[in-house]
Amino acid sequence: MLYILTVCLGIIIGLAMKGRISNLAEIKIKKVWLIILAFLIQTIARILGAKGVHIPVESIIVIQLLVFLMMATCFWFNRHYSGMLFIGIGYLMNTIVMAANGGKMPVSEKVLAATNISHFIDNIKSGTDIKHVIMDNGTKLKFLADVIKVPGFLGSMMQVVSIGDLVILIGIFILTVELVLGRKILKIM
């Protein structure tokens, strides 16, 4: 939901900057099928994990590597959008912390317990959530993990995030504004 709110805010700001909603009909994102396939692979793996199908750690790492390569390829082909660069950097930050921790995103049990989704702690500990692992003393790169509790009403949309997630949200906002304006707004590349 936080992603949808970010897109809506990007549309509003883009329109305020004299953009046109009709520009969204002319989106020219290349290789978007890679993102769709990557999310499909991750979703299937998560559903299987939730249904109790044991997925070996080695397979999780291969799945995450495959997903990363597909996403990175799509980001590369769309680097002409400034927002896509931010999305790619945020995604890379999340991928690095996951790679350093066995292919799973570490999440703070303390932060998770303070949310409306604290019941996920049991899912993570039992292994039915194949994407996350509870942080402990062996967790690497803790500062990149899911350690930020989202405050207020925004927390009802996405309770716990990482720095990478925040960078991705900034990228989605910038990309949406660029699409509504029909031009780049940052001269990064």
Side-chain angles (χ1 to χ4, degrees):
M1 286 296 290
L2 196 52
Y3 295 111
I4 294 169
L5 179 65
T6 302
V7 168
C8 291
L9 184 60
I11 290 171
I12 291 167
I13 297 300
L15 291 172
M17 295 173 67
K18 310 251 191 257
R20 295 177 306 168
I21 201 80
S22 61
N23 285 339
L24 293 175
E26 300 171 22
I27 295 175
K28 294 179 179 100
I29 296 180
K30 300 172 188 169
K31 310 282 186 200
V32 73
W33 64 270
L34 288 168
I35 291 176
I36 295 168
L37 184 59
F39 279 116
L40 185 63
I41 289 169
Q42 275 192 329
T43 301
I44 290 169
R46 289 185 81 179
I47 289 170
L48 289 174
K51 295 227 180 246
V53 175
H54 175 70
I55 301 174
V57 173
E58 297 81 13
S59 297
I60 293 169
I61 291 171
V62 169
I63 290 168
Q64 295 298 0
L65 178 61
L66 179 63
V67 166
F68 170 76
L69 290 173
M70 288 189 289
M71 297 289 280
T73 302
C74 184
F75 297 145
W76 176 257
F77 277 100
N78 294 287
R79 65 189 181 279
H80 54 277
Y81 290 112
S82 305
M84 198 61 85
L85 178 65
F86 281 88
I87 295 169
I89 290 169
Y91 189 76
L92 180 61
M93 292 169 79
N94 286 345
T95 300
I96 288 170
V97 69
M98 290 173 73
N101 291 285
K104 295 185 177 188
M105 174 60 87
V107 61
S108 167
E109 183 173 5
K110 180 180 173 185
V111 173
L112 198 55
T115 69
N116 294 338
I117 57 169
S118 59
H119 60 281
F120 280 113
I121 294 171
D122 293 334
N123 293 349
I124 295 169
K125 287 182 176 180
S126 71
T128 57
D129 181 334
I130 66 159
K131 187 177 179 184
H132 297 94
V133 64
I134 297 294
M135 287 174 47
D136 60 21
N137 291 336
T139 301
K140 297 172 183 76
L141 303 171
K142 290 181 181 182
F143 70 99
L144 289 176
D146 282 346
V147 294
I148 302 166
K149 182 180 182 298
V150 180
F153 84 96
L154 296 175
S156 66
M157 298 177 204
M158 200 168 172
Q159 289 83 5
V160 182
V161 297
S162 65
I163 293 171
D165 294 331
L166 296 177
V167 174
I168 289 169
L169 286 167
I170 291 167
I172 290 171
F173 172 77
I174 292 169
L175 178 62
T176 304
V177 171
E178 289 178 324
L179 293 173
V180 171
L181 289 175
R183 63 177 166 81
K184 247 178 136 166
I185 60 173
L186 300 174
K187 306 293 185 209
I188 296 175
M189 290 182 81

